[in-house]
Amino acid sequence: MNIISSLTDRFRGMLPSGGTEVPARWWALVEQIQSLQAEYASRSETELFDVWNSLRYRVQSDESLTDLLPEAFAIISEQMQRHLGMTPYPVQYLGAIAMHEGAIAEMQTGEGKTLTAALTLCLNALPEQGMHIATANDYLAERDARWLSPVYHSLGMTVGTVTAASSMSERRAAYECDITYGTAREFGFDYLRDLLNSPELKTSTNPRRQQLFGQEQTGEDQGLLNPRSPYMVLIDEADSILIDEARTPLIIGQADALEASLSEVCQWSATAVARLAESEHYLDHGPQKGMELTEAGRRVIRELLLQPEAPQSLDPGTAYLSSERALKVQSYFQNGRDYVVREGKVAIVDEFTGRISEGRMWQNGIHQAIEAREGVEITSPTRVGAQTTVQELFARYTRMAGMTGTAASARSEFKKVFGTPVITIPTNRPGRREQLPERVFLTAEEKWTAIVKETAALHAQGRPVLIGTRSVNLSKQLSERLAAAGLEHEVLHALNHENEATIIERAGQSGKITVATNMAGRGTDILLGDDVVAQGGLHVICAELHESSRIDRQLTGRAARQGDPGSARVFLSLEDEILTSGLGAEQAAALRADYQRSGRNLQSAVRYFYQAQQRVEKRHERQRVELVNRINARRQMLQQMGQHANLNAH
C-alpha cells in the first residue's frame, strides 16, 4: 500500500472544497450552536446527560456525526461553562468544525486550542471506537486530560493518559477509555510493542459493548496494549509532529549479543581519533554520509592497533568503521545542543522542541560513541526490533486532523503527504503584535551584547522579555551575560524542563526576563500581569533563526495573544549557524569576509539569512519525501517476502 496515495484517498470527499478560508456555512453552524446552548442552560445535569446519551443512540442508528454536531457542541459547551467556567468563542467552534472535517486548523497562539480540541474529541468519541489526541509532550497530555476530565465525566465519557512513565497496565487502561491523551512517540512505541508481541493484530469490540452483549476479549487480545483498531486521532502542534519530527523513524531496539564488544571498541576509538587530521587522514562527506578514512588515516589506525592498549580482538575493518563513527560524533554531535548528560547518561535533545526525548537512543553505535566521548557508562548496543514513522503511524487511523499556530507555510506538504487541507481560523480579537525590524551584527559577540542591552532597556520600563535560543549551551551563555549585567532572570531548557509550566506562566509578569530554548512553553499561555498591558505587553527576542521558520513564528507568536499588545524582534549575526547550515561553510565565510572588508550596511544581509533558512527547510522536506519513498519500497519488498513491514527479521 502506498502511504501517500492511501492517505489522500482516505479523506477525499469528506473534506472542505479545498479552500483555505472558513466556509460560510460554518458560521451558520456557530449561530445554531450558540442558540442551542442558550436553551440547554436551563436544563439540569441529569437532563443534559440524557440528551447526550440520546445522541449516542442516534449514532448507533447510523445518524451522521456531522448532523449531530450543533447539538453535541452545544451540550459540551454548556458543560464547559458549568465545570470550567468557560464557554468557547465562535472561532473555537470554527476550529473544532475544521478538525471534525479532517483538516489542520491553523489557530494563532493563545486562541484556546485545548478547549477547541475537546469539542472535536467529545463529538467523535460518540461512536465509542476510541479517540486519540497526540500532544507535544507528556506534561501537556497529563495537564489537558486532568483539566478537561470534569467535562468528559459529566458526559459519561472516560479519559486516560499515556506517558513515558506509564506502566503496561496503565497503558492498557488508558487505551480502553473513550478519549486517550498521549504523545505521537508513545502511541507509536506502543503500536510497535504490540507488533513485537503479536504481529498478526486482531481487533476487538469496545469495552462498553462487551459489557452490554457479554463479549469477552480473547487471551491474545488481552496481551496487547491496545487491541482496538485505530479510529481517529487529533494532533496538537501538528506542524511539529507531522513535519519537523517526520524525518526520524520511531524505533524499538532489542539487545544485540553480537555487538557486546562495542563498548570496548567505542572507548578505544574515542581516544584514537585524536591522532587524525581532516583532509590528511579522513574526508568529511557531511552529516548524512559521514566520514571516510583515507589511506593515510587507515595506516594510523593500523599502527594504533599494534599498541598494548588496543583491544586484543579488534580487527582493522571494525577499527576503521568505529573510528569513522567516532569522527562523525566529534564533528556533528554537540553536548548542549544535540544531547545533554543527565544523571550520568546521555539524553537526546529534540532539535525542534528543545525537550529531552525520553527513552530514545541513536542507532548504529552512534549513541555508544557519544557515551565514550563523554566518559559515561556505555549502554548495551541494540539492533532494530521494530520500526515505524510518523507517516506510517497516522496512516493507520481511519481519520486524522490537527491544529497548530503555524501551518500555512507547510500547507502544500500537508496536502501532498497527508491529504489534509489547512484551514486558517480567524483570531478572536484583532492582533496587536508589533514586528520590529531585524538587527544584524558582524559577530556573535556584538549580537549577544545588543540583546542584553535591549533586554535591560525594556526591563527598566517594567516590560517582560522572553528570549528564545537554539540550544542549551546558548541559553547558559546568555544567562551568564544577563547575570553579569545584574539582570535577574529564569532559564528554561532541557535540563530543567520539569519547571516549564511554572516558568512560562510567570513570564508575563512586570519586569520578568525569561530565557528559553525553542520549547518556549508551547501549549502554556503567557498571561500578562495587570500593569503590563499599559506598558506595551510582552517583548519576544529571537536570538537566532532556527532551521524551521515555523519555530521562529511560534516563538514570536508568544507575544500579543488574544488582542494583547506585544512586540518581537529577531537578532542575527554573520557567525550564526543558520548561514553555515543553509549556504555552506565556504559561502558563509565568504559572506562574512565581504561585509567585513566592504563595510556595507549589515541590514542588507538580512535576505541571506532567510535564503539559508529556506534552503534548510527544502532539504528537510526532501529528506521526508525520501523517507516516505524508502518506506514504500521497503514495505513492498517485505510484503513480497511474506514479512510484516514494520518488523525486522533476524
Side-chain angles (χ1 to χ4, degrees), residues 140-248:
L140 291 178
E142 292 181 312
R143 185 204 68 178
D144 293 353
R146 181 171 58 251
W147 182 53
L148 289 162
S149 61
V151 175
Y152 297 141
H153 293 160
S154 71
L155 301 171
M157 291 186 161
T158 55
V159 58
T161 309
V162 176
T163 69
S166 298
S167 65
M168 295 300 116
S169 60
E170 289 170 336
R171 291 170 187 269
R172 291 188 187 96
Y175 286 121
E176 289 178 356
C177 291
D178 296 299
I179 297 169
T180 306
Y181 282 81
T183 62
R185 180 172 285 110
E186 293 306 317
F187 290 153
F189 284 151
D190 284 345
Y191 163 60
L192 294 178
R193 289 184 184 106
D194 280 348
L195 278 181
L196 287 171
N197 289 333
S198 177
E200 297 298 328
L201 284 174
K202 293 181 173 65
T203 59
S204 69
T205 55
N206 69 67
R208 184 178 286 117
R209 288 181 178 170
Q210 289 170 359
Q211 294 170 5
L212 287 173
F213 299 108
Q215 295 174 331
E216 296 182 358
Q217 288 181 301
T218 66
E220 183 177 5
D221 283 348
Q222 289 175 346
L224 299 177
L225 294 173
N226 181 23
R228 281 174 158 177
S229 295
Y231 165 54
M232 182 175 182
V233 61
L234 293 190
I235 304 169
D236 192 10
E237 306 296 0
D239 61 324
S240 176
I241 294 173
L242 297 179
I243 303 296
D244 296 332
E245 296 182 17
R247 291 184 298 127
T248 306

Side-chain angles (χ1 to χ4, degrees), residues 52 63 79 85 98 101 150 172 214-215 231 239 252 269 273 278 373 393 402 441 526 631:
W52 183 260
E63 193 165 347
Q79 293 292 18
E101 297 215 14
R172 291 188 187 96
Q215 295 174 331
Y231 165 54
D239 61 324
I252 284 187
S269 298
V273 294
E278 188 174 357
R373 184 174 72 168
L393 176 65
F441 301 87
I526 298 178
I631 292 167

Side-chain angles (χ1 to χ4, degrees), residues 280-461:
E280 180 184 357
H281 297 123
Y282 65 91
L283 302 176
D284 185 345
H285 295 301
Q288 299 301 317
K289 295 183 179 180
M291 308 298 185
E292 179 187 0
L293 290 173
T294 63
E295 183 51 45
R298 293 188 174 207
R299 185 163 54 250
V300 171
I301 295 299
R302 289 196 298 271
E303 290 172 356
L304 291 173
L305 283 175
L306 299 176
Q307 301 298 318
E309 60 269 20
Q312 295 300 311
S313 60
L314 183 57
D315 62 90
T318 303
Y320 298 155
L321 292 174
S322 181
S323 298
E324 289 171 346
R325 188 162 50 210
L327 288 167
K328 181 176 180 179
V329 163
Q330 178 178 281
S331 296
Y332 292 106
F333 293 82
Q334 182 179 327
N335 190 345
R337 184 191 67 187
D338 305 293
Y339 65 91
V340 293
V341 178
R342 185 183 61 171
E343 299 176 355
K345 296 182 179 179
V346 170
I348 297 176
V349 175
D350 187 287
E351 63 180 309
F352 296 106
T353 67
R355 297 184 176 91
I356 296 291
S357 296
E358 299 290 352
R360 187 175 149 204
M361 295 177 64
W362 283 293
Q363 296 290 312
N364 302 319
I366 292 293
H367 205 89
Q368 287 72 27
I370 293 172
E371 290 170 330
R373 184 174 72 168
E374 295 297 333
V376 301
E377 182 181 355
I378 296 179
T379 56
S380 299
T382 61
R383 59 175 172 81
V384 176
Q387 63 179 315
T388 189
T389 63
V390 166
Q391 294 93 332
E392 278 188 300
L393 176 65
F394 292 120
R396 299 177 59 247
Y397 288 85
T398 306
R399 301 179 62 203
M400 181 187 79
M403 54 187 179
T404 183
T406 48
S409 61
R411 179 175 280 118
S412 62
E413 188 168 352
F414 276 127
K415 191 68 176 176
K416 179 170 60 178
V417 177
F418 295 97
T420 55
V422 172
I423 303 294
T424 301
I425 306 298
T427 56
N428 185 49
R429 296 174 182 170
R432 297 171 60 190
R433 183 183 307 114
E434 183 182 8
Q435 188 68 48
L436 301 173
E438 298 90 345
R439 296 190 64 188
V440 188
F441 301 87
L442 192 62
T443 67
E445 177 66 28
E446 293 172 306
K447 179 184 72 171
W448 293 113
T449 300
I451 288 174
V452 172
K453 185 176 180 180
E454 179 160 297
T455 301
L458 292 165
H459 175 72
Q461 299 171 17

Side-chain angles (χ1 to χ4, degrees), residues 585-601:
E586 290 185 9
Q587 189 175 346
L591 188 66
R592 285 194 298 273
D594 178 47
Y595 273 89
Q596 190 171 23
R597 181 178 60 255
S598 66
R600 281 192 291 157
N601 184 350

